[in-house]
Amino acid sequence: MVDNYNQYYAALGDNIHMRRRAANLTQQQLAEMVNVDFTHVSKIELGKNKPSLRLVFAIADALKVHPSKLLEPRE
């Protein structure tokens, strides 16, 4: 069992940030695509907010990647 999930949320946030920037999207644009406030996207990217599985799938869809790509650990 994993004791500390914060590292996974941090990796999720980093992956979303990297892929959002690669797609030339602002946080505001991504937020509108997945129907959340841009501050929520910002906090997810910083690893401060923990998104629902539904939101992870919506973000992956908006970024045109498989959800597993957003969950890959940092290298």
Side-chain angles (χ1 to χ4, degrees):
M1 180 94 181
V2 178
D3 292 329
N4 185 349
Y5 289 97
N6 290 335
Q7 66 184 350
Y8 296 102
Y9 286 110
L12 173 66
D14 287 347
N15 288 331
I16 291 170
H17 175 82
M18 177 190 65
R19 291 178 183 280
R20 176 184 60 77
R21 299 270 317 238
N24 291 314
L25 293 171
T26 66
Q27 289 178 341
Q28 180 69 41
Q29 289 168 321
L30 179 58
E32 289 172 2
M33 293 170 79
V34 298
N35 201 32
V36 298
D37 190 85
F38 82 94
T39 59
H40 190 44
V41 171
S42 175
K43 289 178 182 178
I44 290 169
E45 288 185 359
L46 293 172
K48 294 180 178 180
N49 280 10
K50 296 168 176 64
S52 67
L53 189 56
R54 181 210 61 83
L55 183 54
V56 171
F57 273 73
I59 290 171
D61 187 53
L63 296 175
K64 298 178 178 27
V65 297
H66 192 274
S68 66
K69 294 297 183 185
L70 299 180
L71 299 170
E72 290 177 346
R74 294 188 221 185
E75 299 198 10

